């Protein structure tokens, strides 16, 4: 399983970015893909997740009004649309995968429940 993130960069406050997580080596429908971020000196934070087996989506309260997760099964890619970005959103953003056929119940926001991780992409929100 390989996950590759893209779409990070520098954006001004109030701006938008769309991150992409391209998955390979997977049967896409068998995986839940989550997005996390980690800022310097802070713990990794679960932002959102999509379970591709049934399309269920999950969001952290801190971002649900501004971020939207979506899944393109034809491209084996999960997107995170981030709007109205704030300086506090500055972090390394990573996607991760769980094989839902074998995982049983999982906590979408718990990093330890994920089996595979991408390398991360930097998002910097600054004027």
């Amino acid at each position: 399983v390989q996950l590759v993130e893209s779409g990070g960069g520098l954006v001004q406050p109030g701006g938008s970015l769309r991150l992409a997580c391209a998955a390979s080596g997977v049967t896409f429908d068998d995986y839940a893909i989550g997005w996390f971020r980690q800022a310097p000196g802070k713990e990794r934070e679960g932002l959102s997740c999509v379970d591709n087996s049934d399309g269920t989506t999950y969001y952290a309260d801190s971002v649900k009004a501004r971020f939207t997760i979506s899944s393109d099964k034809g491209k084996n890619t999960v997107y995170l649309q981030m709007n109205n970005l704030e300086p506090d959103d500055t972090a390394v953003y990573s996607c991760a995968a769980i094989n839902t056929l074998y995982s049983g119940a999982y906590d979408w926001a718990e990093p330890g429940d994920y089996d595979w991780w991408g390398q991360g992409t930097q998002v910097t929100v600054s004027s």
Side-chain angles (χ1 to χ4, degrees):
V1 176
Q2 185 175 17
L3 304 174
V4 179
E5 300 97 336
S6 61
L10 173 65
V11 63
Q12 293 186 342
S16 298
L17 283 175
R18 188 178 76 158
L19 305 182
C21 174
S24 58
V26 301
T27 301
F28 206 55
D29 284 357
D30 295 341
Y31 286 79
I33 305 292
W35 280 101
F36 292 79
R37 69 184 177 189
Q38 189 166 23
K42 295 186 178 181
E43 292 188 355
R44 184 170 281 173
E45 177 187 12
L47 303 173
S48 185
C49 175
V50 57
D51 188 330
N52 288 310
S53 68
D54 61 8
T56 301
T57 58
Y58 306 91
Y59 292 94
D61 288 343
S62 60
V63 301
K64 65 182 179 181
R66 301 184 293 126
F67 292 6
T68 303
I69 196 168
S70 61
S71 186
D72 185 335
K73 294 186 177 182
K75 295 183 178 179
N76 273 22
T77 298
V78 170
Y79 300 97
L80 186 68
Q81 177 68 42
M82 306 187 296
N83 298 327
N84 194 21
L85 286 162
E86 306 164 352
D88 283 349
D89 294 316
T90 296
V92 175
Y93 285 67
S94 302
C95 62
I98 301 172
N99 186 319
T100 56
L101 284 183
Y102 302 109
S103 67
Y106 63 93
D107 179 351
W108 74 266
E110 172 52 55
D113 282 7
Y114 289 78
D115 299 309
W116 297 275
W117 290 82
Q119 82 288 353
T121 186
Q122 176 70 44
V123 171
T124 302
V125 185
S126 176
S127 56

